[in-house]
């Protein structure tokens, strides 16, 4: 897909996403999605991977500079969020509704990409990287487990196993089992791409 086609595809998807939000009550959107909403300025406030963003109502524009496809997942999140409580249980993306094929493929793809990313880093070095996007070390069965927040009601867990004499490093990205109340499997793939992009930017010295 060339740049013009890519831009047109985004514009069409943004138009459709805003249309689905048309007529929804902003206070209810904020409640369901865990956002703030300012009645005076008519703006939503949210955090994603430790960055703050402002979404305007009723046009659903965004004031800060943002990756286009990340922005689109936020619009979908605002539309889909139904206020479901977190289950407290971790699931793979293949476990999502309609995730058997694409979700399972995504599990394999993101695991391989994360394993390549963590290769050669120590635990303290990785924690330094993840903390820049709000990651926190969590107890778990992996050598290192990190929790971070993609959006207010979408916590993600990255489990990492370091290399040893027998095995190369490996990693797995998991989400709360209720993620399907907030994103589609297509959004999850975009989420994974954006997460890796942010991590690589940090590794390159940029936030």
């Amino acid at each position: 897909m060339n740049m013009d086609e890519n831009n047109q595809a985004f514009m069409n998807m943004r138009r459709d996403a805003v249309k689905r939000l048309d007529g929804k009550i902003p206070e209810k959107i904020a409640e369901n999605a865990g956002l703030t909403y300012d009645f005076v300025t008519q703006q939503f406030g949210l955090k994603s991977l430790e960055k703050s963003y402002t979404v305007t109502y009723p046009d659903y524009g965004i004031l800060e500079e943002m990756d286009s496809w990340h922005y689109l997942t936020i619009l979908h999140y605002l539309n889909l969020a139904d206020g479901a409580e977190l289950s407290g249980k971790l699931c793979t993306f293949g476990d999502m509704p309609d995730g058997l094929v694409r979700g399972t493929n995504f599990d394999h793809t993101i695991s391989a990409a994360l394993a390549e990313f963590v290769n050669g880093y120590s635990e303290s070095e990785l924690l330094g990287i993840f903390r820049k996007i709000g990651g926190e070390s969590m107890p778990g069965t992996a050598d290192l487990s990190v929790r971070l927040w993609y959006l207010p009601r979408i916590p993600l867990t990255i489990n990492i196993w370091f290399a040893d004499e027998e095995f190369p490093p490996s990693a797995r990205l998991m989400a709360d089992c209720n993620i399907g109340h907030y994103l589609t499997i297509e959004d999850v793939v975009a989420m994974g791409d954006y997460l890796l992009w942010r991590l690589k930017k940090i590794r390159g010295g940029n936030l």
Side-chain angles (χ1 to χ4, degrees):
M1 178 178 287
N2 64 40
M3 183 62 69
D4 289 340
E5 290 173 333
N6 188 62
N7 185 60
Q8 188 59 52
F10 165 74
M11 293 302 295
N12 290 340
M13 294 175 76
R14 180 193 183 279
R15 179 198 62 214
D16 292 343
V18 170
K19 186 175 181 180
R20 287 192 290 270
L21 284 161
D22 186 42
K24 291 199 172 189
I25 300 169
E27 297 90 335
K28 191 63 176 176
I29 292 175
E31 178 185 349
N32 286 342
L35 314 182
T36 61
Y37 180 70
D38 189 309
F39 295 90
V40 177
T41 61
Q42 292 188 295
Q43 295 175 346
F44 298 99
L46 63 90
K47 265 192 173 184
S48 177
L49 299 177
E50 206 60 13
K51 281 193 174 184
S52 297
Y53 298 100
T54 306
V55 181
T56 56
Y57 176 85
D59 61 330
Y60 296 96
I62 194 149
L63 299 185
E64 295 78 16
E65 183 178 347
M66 172 180 276
D67 173 80
S68 297
W69 299 101
H70 182 40
Y71 169 44
L72 195 62
T73 65
I74 289 177
L75 293 181
H76 292 171
Y77 173 78
L78 298 183
N79 178 57
L80 290 172
D82 61 8
E85 295 291 334
L86 298 178
S87 70
K89 298 178 181 178
L90 294 179
C91 287
T92 67
F93 298 97
D95 294 325
M96 286 182 65
D98 302 321
L100 182 60
V101 176
R102 195 164 190 195
T104 300
N105 288 338
F106 173 73
D107 285 326
H108 292 310
T109 300
I110 195 70
S111 290
L114 285 170
E116 181 180 357
F117 177 82
V118 305
N119 191 27
Y121 283 98
S122 68
E123 180 175 337
S124 61
E125 289 171 332
L126 286 173
L127 280 174
I129 292 173
F130 287 121
R131 281 173 181 148
K132 290 182 179 179
I133 53 173
E136 298 177 346
S137 178
M138 302 291 292
T141 57
D143 295 333
L144 174 63
S145 293
V146 176
R147 186 178 67 180
L148 47 86
W149 293 85
Y150 182 74
L151 282 166
R153 299 223 164 130
I154 303 182
L156 300 174
T157 298
I158 300 176
N159 289 324
I160 298 165
W161 292 267
F162 296 107
D164 58 24
E165 293 83 359
E166 297 183 37
F167 299 103
S170 60
R172 169 167 280 191
L173 179 67
M174 302 185 77
D176 187 89
C177 291
N178 276 351
I179 191 173
H181 289 265
Y182 295 96
L183 292 179
T184 66
I185 189 60
E186 288 78 14
D187 296 322
V188 162
V189 174
M191 175 189 73
D193 288 341
Y194 179 72
L195 174 60
L196 284 170
W197 178 76
R198 281 289 304 276
L199 288 171
K200 289 175 181 178
K201 282 197 73 175
I202 294 170
R203 183 172 62 186
N206 299 303
L207 291 179

